[in-house]
Amino acid sequence: MLFAVTMDVAIPPAMDPGEKATLIDRERSYSRELQASGEWLHIWRRVGRYSNLSIFDVSGNERLHQILWNLPLFPYMTIEITPLATHPSDIRVA
Amino acid sequence: MLFAVTMDVAIPPAMDPGEKATLIDRERSYSRELQASGEWLHIWRRVGRYSNLSIFDVSGNERLHQILWNLPLFPYMTIEITPLATHPSDIRVA
Amino acid sequence: MLFAVTMDVAIPPAMDPGEKATLIDRERSYSRELQASGEWLHIWRRVGRYSNLSIFDVSGNERLHQILWNLPLFPYMTIEITPLATHPSDIRVA
Amino acid sequence: MLFAVTMDVAIPPAMDPGEKATLIDRERSYSRELQASGEWLHIWRRVGRYSNLSIFDVSGNERLHQILWNLPLFPYMTIEITPLATHPSDIRVA
Amino acid sequence: MLFAVTMDVAIPPAMDPGEKATLIDRERSYSRELQASGEWLHIWRRVGRYSNLSIFDVSGNERLHQILWNLPLFPYMTIEITPLATHPSDIRVA
Amino acid sequence: MLFAVTMDVAIPPAMDPGEKATLIDRERSYSRELQASGEWLHIWRRVGRYSNLSIFDVSGNERLHQILWNLPLFPYMTIEITPLATHPSDIRVA
Amino acid sequence: MLFAVTMDVAIPPAMDPGEKATLIDRERSYSRELQASGEWLHIWRRVGRYSNLSIFDVSGNERLHQILWNLPLFPYMTIEITPLATHPSDIRVA
Amino acid sequence: MLFAVTMDVAIPPAMDPGEKATLIDRERSYSRELQASGEWLHIWRRVGRYSNLSIFDVSGNERLHQILWNLPLFPYMTIEITPLATHPSDIRVA
Amino acid sequence: MLFAVTMDVAIPPAMDPGEKATLIDRERSYSRELQASGEWLHIWRRVGRYSNLSIFDVSGNERLHQILWNLPLFPYMTIEITPLATHPSDIRVA
Amino acid sequence: MLFAVTMDVAIPPAMDPGEKATLIDRERSYSRELQASGEWLHIWRRVGRYSNLSIFDVSGNERLHQILWNLPLFPYMTIEITPLATHPSDIRVA
């Protein structure tokens, strides 16, 4: 089941640089594991913003929430979710 | 070069049903040709809305505008565009 | 899988009264069948508005879109969707 | 009398972890007591957000305010309230 | 139980003047009856707008919805509702 | 001359509890004096929010500003003002 | 007593040109009379918009509403009102 | 050339009272000099807000920016600018 | 003096195609004359929208309003204006 | 390929003045180098705001993101991007 998710990141300027670097490393590893397992289908940078647009392919709402809630950067993110369905014009399903 | 594009459709309720059906057919063919040619990478329905989220892979801004401006449903659409770039966490580019 | 859905209805004032009555009857029957089948879990009127707040329990995004897209009043509705998950404070799951 | 209530939580990142854990525990107990007494009818997590959608069944506005004002997390919440009424399509009241 | 209600009116310019006059007369009578019965506590014009701010004192949500839904101008109104409770600084309850 | 005024309060979480209690006491006394003198006609709590809806009956804009500017909680408030006039449906003036 | 008022005008494109010209003439005369009498202190065009910013000096809310409600273009206007008071930096009152 | 300018002020609550008083004094002197020279035509308090509505009569955009950028309170202000032109209904220019 | 101006165009779908073509021709000629004379410095299409971003270099607010008000498509446009000034980082003025 | 970019700057008031001056110097040098190389085509101050409107001429989305992400003031900026294309009325391309 597909969901489009945008994540805007706002790390407090006062955060210790070491702590920040560790956090971003953990975020990267976390994302890559889920990409490797096939649940985090796409991740793109939104140009000019500390933000990404991602596509998730998960078993349902419970799993999507579990993934997002455990993002290392979750406390610093504003997240928006769009449930997706098959489009009748999609050549892969026509 | 990638762009995320949302297209919200609002066809006037008073449109002649035959005209509407023709228009939607033309839109579908137009979309499928661009999917087949590789420029219209993804198209998903946004659940519960007459709207889609699409990903385009085009040569640049001029080509993206040309594609969107010529959509048969363009006069009835509200379109939003997000330029995308490679994300440093993307396992396909790491 | 649960979703909260709000549906705001705006029927054009110029619609023929008979057509309007038929449409509303069809909407009502459609809703009741889905309530009876267990997929449309709750429907509440939002006070002072031609609008409802509903809770759906469906197999996933595809099914939710199919239900909403086929609402007789769909062309006259503005719909917002919130995917829901279990809350850790819920006594029914604790 | 039914009300839909959304509660968005924003705990300051600088809060002491122990204080935060205590606060969340108190919030959980408070919520469960009101669920057990029948006034807090439903609580769902809004996916990807530190937020819930709840349905309250209370004697009126005064009681609803009393419940919300005394939430341990109230100082960190943004709350929106929608008064609900019976929907004419609801099969339980038809 | 008190509610603050704002009603913004937008009558289509094309409405027949006689029909419009009748509608406004019916709205006035309807409002005055509810003021006389004590449920429609206050009605003020919002300066420079075709809009009012009203205070209702009703038995609950169901009754408030019944009153608003049956306003002769309801199809032409945008309504916002704010549930009210006693304020601790109010000298009448202190 | 009547004005509807909403006051949303946001006291910084870091404020000293004693200072906060003093401030709220001063606010309460200030409000009650103006209620007693007849200029602060109504004050209601907006349910679920640290906010009130008030009705003022003052000599004009200058006096209203003087009252609001001197509220002990003014530095922590977001205030919105709606000038009111007699409504033609009001039974007290018809 | 001073008020800043913005008036955005949206005349339906389908209005008969003669009717439109008459309406605009009446609006102009109405405005000029109130300027001559001293109640409509200033009127400026907002650049690039069918809109004005005006300053009124009136006896109070009731009079301001009466003036605005009787504008020939009132049914086609969106109006916003800001009550004004003396500023402590104003050299004319210091 | 005329411009309407609104300035909303938000001084951090933590600012030292002496520093704040000095800043406000400097702002006042600065404003009065420009009023005396004829460039700052009007300044009004917006009722119930730490905000003003001002009218400037300046040689152009460069001069307006120079004036605003050098306001002692500029770092604490949110400013909105509306370019103004002569209105055809203005009796002073008719 | 420079201004950035965005113009969003919304021609009613019901407009006669011949009338629409004439209008767009007139708009084009009008724009080109002002580009040739040096007042309409730049015009760019905003991708995916019936909209442009333009830069004007005019003698002041009065002239800018005169140009925009006389655009053949003005009745179908939503226009936003940003006054511009020299930026201290601009290498052409440093 | 052209992009319009607005950058709103909000430097925390508490930043050390020396650090702030260094940051602004680095921003200026960075901007001037890109102006000299031809990628940063225009930069204008938005009047009355700590903000600029810029036009970039870059090879594509990846390059634009690289430029913006490395702005010394990036952590303190809110950035909006509008992809631009040739306008059919532009006399330079007609």
Side-chain angles (χ1 to χ4, degrees):
Chain A
M1 191 171 320
L2 299 176
F3 294 87
V5 179
T6 58
M7 310 178 201
D8 289 352
V9 184
I11 297 177
M15 186 185 282
D16 170 76
E19 183 187 349
K20 185 174 160 180
T22 304
L23 200 58
I24 291 175
D25 273 358
R26 288 179 45 222
E27 179 78 19
R28 193 151 297 173
S29 305
Y30 182 87
S31 170
R32 286 181 176 160
E33 280 167 31
L34 288 160
Q35 290 177 58
S37 75
E39 285 181 302
W40 196 324
L41 215 56
H42 296 286
I43 180 168
W44 297 290
R45 175 66 77 203
R46 302 212 283 171
V47 171
R49 309 175 59 168
Y50 195 166
S51 175
N52 71 71
L53 168 66
S54 292
I55 308 292
F56 287 88
D57 184 1
V58 291
S59 59
N61 293 347
E62 297 287 348
R63 178 59 184 148
L64 181 62
H65 183 67
Q66 187 185 39
I67 288 173
L68 298 175
W69 186 264
N70 290 303
L71 287 162
L73 287 173
F74 182 81
Y76 309 107
M77 282 178 166
T78 303
I79 290 178
E80 291 198 9
I81 294 176
T82 306
L84 301 176
T86 307
H87 194 284
S89 299
D90 191 337
I91 56 172
R92 278 172 285 203
V93 289
Chain B
M1 191 171 319
L2 298 177
F3 293 88
V5 179
T6 57
M7 309 177 202
D8 288 353
V9 184
I11 296 177
M15 186 185 281
D16 170 77
E19 184 188 349
K20 184 174 161 180
T22 304
L23 201 59
I24 291 174
D25 273 359
R26 287 179 45 223
E27 179 79 18
R28 194 152 296 174
S29 304
Y30 181 88
S31 171
R32 286 181 174 160
E33 280 167 32
L34 288 160
Q35 290 177 59
S37 76
E39 286 182 301
W40 196 323
L41 217 56
H42 295 286
I43 180 168
W44 297 289
R45 175 66 78 202
R46 301 212 283 171
V47 171
R49 307 175 62 169
Y50 194 166
S51 176
N52 71 72
L53 168 65
S54 291
I55 307 293
F56 286 88
D57 185 1
V58 291
S59 59
N61 292 348
E62 297 288 347
R63 177 61 183 147
L64 180 62
H65 183 67
Q66 186 185 39
I67 288 172
L68 297 176
W69 186 264
N70 290 302
L71 287 162
L73 287 173
F74 182 81
Y76 309 107
M77 282 179 166
T78 303
I79 289 178
E80 292 198 7
I81 294 176
T82 306
L84 301 176
T86 307
H87 195 284
S89 298
D90 191 335
I91 55 172
R92 278 172 285 203
V93 288
Chain C
M1 190 173 318
L2 298 177
F3 294 88
V5 179
T6 58
M7 310 177 200
D8 288 352
V9 184
I11 296 177
M15 186 184 281
D16 170 76
E19 184 188 348
K20 183 174 162 180
T22 304
L23 201 59
I24 291 174
D25 272 359
R26 287 179 44 222
E27 177 80 17
R28 194 152 296 172
S29 304
Y30 182 87
S31 170
R32 285 181 176 160
E33 280 167 31
L34 288 160
Q35 290 177 60
S37 75
E39 286 181 301
W40 196 323
L41 216 56
H42 296 285
I43 180 167
W44 297 289
R45 174 67 78 202
R46 301 212 283 172
V47 170
R49 307 175 61 169
Y50 194 166
S51 176
N52 72 71
L53 167 65
S54 290
I55 307 293
F56 286 89
D57 185 1
V58 291
S59 59
N61 292 348
E62 297 286 348
R63 177 62 183 147
L64 181 62
H65 183 67
Q66 185 185 40
I67 288 173
L68 297 175
W69 186 264
N70 290 302
L71 285 162
L73 286 173
F74 181 81
Y76 309 107
M77 282 178 166
T78 302
I79 289 178
E80 292 198 7
I81 294 176
T82 306
L84 301 176
T86 307
H87 195 284
S89 298
D90 190 337
I91 55 172
R92 278 172 285 203
V93 288
Chain D
M1 190 171 321
L2 298 175
F3 294 87
V5 179
T6 58
M7 310 177 201
D8 288 353
V9 184
I11 296 177
M15 187 184 281
D16 170 76
E19 184 188 348
K20 183 173 161 180
T22 304
L23 201 58
I24 290 174
D25 273 358
R26 287 179 46 222
E27 179 79 17
R28 193 152 296 172
S29 304
Y30 182 87
S31 171
R32 286 180 176 160
E33 279 167 32
L34 288 160
Q35 290 177 59
S37 76
E39 286 182 301
W40 196 323
L41 216 55
H42 297 285
I43 180 167
W44 297 291
R45 175 66 77 202
R46 302 213 282 172
V47 171
R49 307 174 62 168
Y50 194 165
S51 176
N52 72 70
L53 167 65
S54 291
I55 307 292
F56 286 88
D57 184 1
V58 292
S59 60
N61 293 347
E62 297 287 348
R63 177 61 183 146
L64 180 62
H65 183 67
Q66 187 186 38
I67 287 172
L68 298 175
W69 187 263
N70 291 301
L71 287 161
L73 287 174
F74 181 81
Y76 310 106
M77 282 178 166
T78 302
I79 290 178
E80 291 197 8
I81 295 175
T82 306
L84 301 175
T86 307
H87 194 284
S89 298
D90 190 337
I91 56 172
R92 279 172 286 203
V93 289
Chain E
M1 191 172 319
L2 298 176
F3 294 88
V5 179
T6 57
M7 309 178 201
D8 289 353
V9 184
I11 296 177
M15 186 184 282
D16 171 76
E19 184 188 347
K20 184 174 161 181
T22 304
L23 200 59
I24 291 174
D25 273 359
R26 287 179 45 222
E27 178 79 17
R28 195 152 296 172
S29 304
Y30 182 87
S31 170
R32 286 182 175 159
E33 279 168 31
L34 288 160
Q35 290 177 61
S37 76
E39 286 181 300
W40 196 323
L41 216 55
H42 296 286
I43 180 168
W44 296 290
R45 175 67 78 203
R46 301 212 283 171
V47 170
R49 307 175 61 168
Y50 194 165
S51 176
N52 72 70
L53 167 65
S54 291
I55 307 292
F56 287 88
D57 185 2
V58 292
S59 59
N61 292 348
E62 297 287 349
R63 177 61 183 146
L64 181 62
H65 183 68
Q66 186 185 39
I67 288 173
L68 298 175
W69 186 264
N70 290 302
L71 287 162
L73 287 173
F74 181 81
Y76 310 107
M77 282 177 167
T78 303
I79 289 178
E80 292 197 8
I81 294 176
T82 306
L84 302 175
T86 306
H87 194 283
S89 298
D90 191 336
I91 56 172
R92 279 172 284 203
V93 288
Chain F
M1 190 172 320
L2 299 176
F3 293 88
V5 179
T6 58
M7 310 177 201
D8 289 353
V9 184
I11 296 177
M15 187 185 281
D16 170 77
E19 184 188 349
K20 182 173 162 182
T22 304
L23 200 59
I24 290 174
D25 272 0
R26 287 179 45 222
E27 178 79 17
R28 194 152 297 172
S29 304
Y30 182 87
S31 170
R32 284 179 177 161
E33 279 166 33
L34 288 160
Q35 290 177 59
S37 76
E39 287 182 300
W40 197 322
L41 217 56
H42 296 285
I43 180 167
W44 297 290
R45 175 66 78 203
R46 301 212 282 171
V47 170
R49 306 174 62 168
Y50 194 165
S51 176
N52 72 71
L53 167 66
S54 290
I55 308 291
F56 286 88
D57 184 2
V58 291
S59 59
N61 293 348
E62 297 288 347
R63 178 60 184 147
L64 181 61
H65 183 67
Q66 187 185 38
I67 288 172
L68 298 175
W69 187 264
N70 291 302
L71 287 161
L73 287 173
F74 181 82
Y76 309 108
M77 282 179 166
T78 302
I79 289 178
E80 290 197 9
I81 294 176
T82 306
L84 301 176
T86 307
H87 195 283
S89 297
D90 190 335
I91 56 172
R92 279 172 283 202
V93 288
Chain G
M1 192 172 316
L2 298 176
F3 294 88
V5 179
T6 57
M7 310 178 200
D8 289 353
V9 183
I11 296 177
M15 187 185 282
D16 170 76
E19 184 188 348
K20 184 175 161 181
T22 304
L23 200 59
I24 291 174
D25 272 359
R26 287 179 46 221
E27 179 78 17
R28 194 151 297 173
S29 304
Y30 182 87
S31 170
R32 286 180 176 161
E33 280 167 31
L34 288 160
Q35 289 177 60
S37 76
E39 285 181 302
W40 196 323
L41 217 55
H42 296 286
I43 180 168
W44 296 290
R45 174 66 78 204
R46 302 212 283 172
V47 171
R49 308 176 60 169
Y50 195 166
S51 176
N52 72 71
L53 167 65
S54 292
I55 307 292
F56 286 88
D57 184 1
V58 292
S59 59
N61 292 348
E62 297 286 348
R63 178 59 184 149
L64 181 62
H65 183 68
Q66 187 186 37
I67 288 173
L68 298 176
W69 186 263
N70 290 302
L71 287 163
L73 286 174
F74 182 81
Y76 309 107
M77 282 178 165
T78 302
I79 289 177
E80 291 198 7
I81 294 175
T82 306
L84 302 175
T86 306
H87 194 284
S89 299
D90 190 335
I91 55 172
R92 279 172 285 202
V93 288
Chain H
M1 191 172 319
L2 299 176
F3 294 87
V5 179
T6 57
M7 309 178 201
D8 288 353
V9 184
I11 296 176
M15 187 185 282
D16 170 75
E19 184 187 349
K20 183 174 163 182
T22 304
L23 200 59
I24 291 175
D25 272 359
R26 287 179 44 221
E27 177 80 16
R28 195 151 295 172
S29 304
Y30 182 87
S31 171
R32 285 180 176 161
E33 280 167 31
L34 288 161
Q35 290 177 60
S37 76
E39 286 181 301
W40 196 323
L41 217 54
H42 296 286
I43 180 168
W44 296 290
R45 175 66 78 204
R46 302 212 283 171
V47 170
R49 308 175 62 168
Y50 194 166
S51 175
N52 71 71
L53 168 65
S54 291
I55 308 291
F56 286 88
D57 185 1
V58 291
S59 60
N61 292 349
E62 298 287 348
R63 177 60 183 148
L64 181 61
H65 183 67
Q66 187 185 39
I67 288 173
L68 298 175
W69 186 264
N70 289 302
L71 287 163
L73 287 173
F74 181 81
Y76 310 107
M77 283 179 165
T78 302
I79 290 179
E80 292 197 7
I81 293 176
T82 306
L84 301 175
T86 307
H87 195 284
S89 298
D90 191 335
I91 56 172
R92 279 173 284 203
V93 288
Chain I
M1 190 172 318
L2 299 176
F3 293 88
V5 179
T6 57
M7 310 178 201
D8 289 353
V9 184
I11 296 178
M15 186 184 282
D16 170 76
E19 184 188 347
K20 184 174 162 181
T22 304
L23 201 57
I24 291 174
D25 273 359
R26 287 178 46 222
E27 179 78 17
R28 195 151 295 174
S29 304
Y30 182 88
S31 170
R32 286 179 176 163
E33 280 167 31
L34 288 160
Q35 290 177 59
S37 75
E39 286 182 300
W40 196 323
L41 217 55
H42 296 286
I43 181 168
W44 297 290
R45 174 67 77 203
R46 302 212 282 171
V47 171
R49 307 175 62 168
Y50 195 166
S51 176
N52 71 72
L53 167 65
S54 291
I55 307 292
F56 287 88
D57 184 1
V58 291
S59 59
N61 293 348
E62 298 287 348
R63 178 61 184 149
L64 180 62
H65 183 67
Q66 187 185 38
I67 288 173
L68 298 175
W69 186 265
N70 290 302
L71 288 162
L73 286 174
F74 181 81
Y76 309 108
M77 282 178 165
T78 302
I79 289 178
E80 291 198 8
I81 294 177
T82 306
L84 301 175
T86 306
H87 194 283
S89 299
D90 191 337
I91 55 171
R92 279 172 285 202
V93 288
Chain J
M1 191 172 319
L2 299 176
F3 294 88
V5 179
T6 57
M7 310 177 201
D8 289 352
V9 184
I11 296 177
M15 186 185 282
D16 170 76
E19 183 187 350
K20 184 174 160 181
T22 304
L23 200 58
I24 291 174
D25 273 357
R26 287 179 46 222
E27 178 79 18
R28 194 151 297 173
S29 304
Y30 181 87
S31 170
R32 286 181 176 159
E33 280 167 31
L34 288 160
Q35 290 177 59
S37 75
E39 286 182 301
W40 195 323
L41 215 55
H42 296 286
I43 180 167
W44 297 290
R45 175 66 79 204
R46 302 212 283 171
V47 171
R49 308 175 61 168
Y50 195 166
S51 175
N52 71 71
L53 167 65
S54 291
I55 308 291
F56 286 89
D57 185 1
V58 291
S59 59
N61 292 349
E62 297 287 349
R63 177 61 184 149
L64 181 62
H65 183 66
Q66 186 185 39
I67 288 173
L68 298 175
W69 186 263
N70 290 303
L71 287 162
L73 286 174
F74 182 80
Y76 310 107
M77 282 177 166
T78 303
I79 290 178
E80 291 197 9
I81 294 177
T82 306
L84 301 176
T86 306
H87 195 283
S89 299
D90 191 335
I91 56 171
R92 279 172 283 203
V93 289

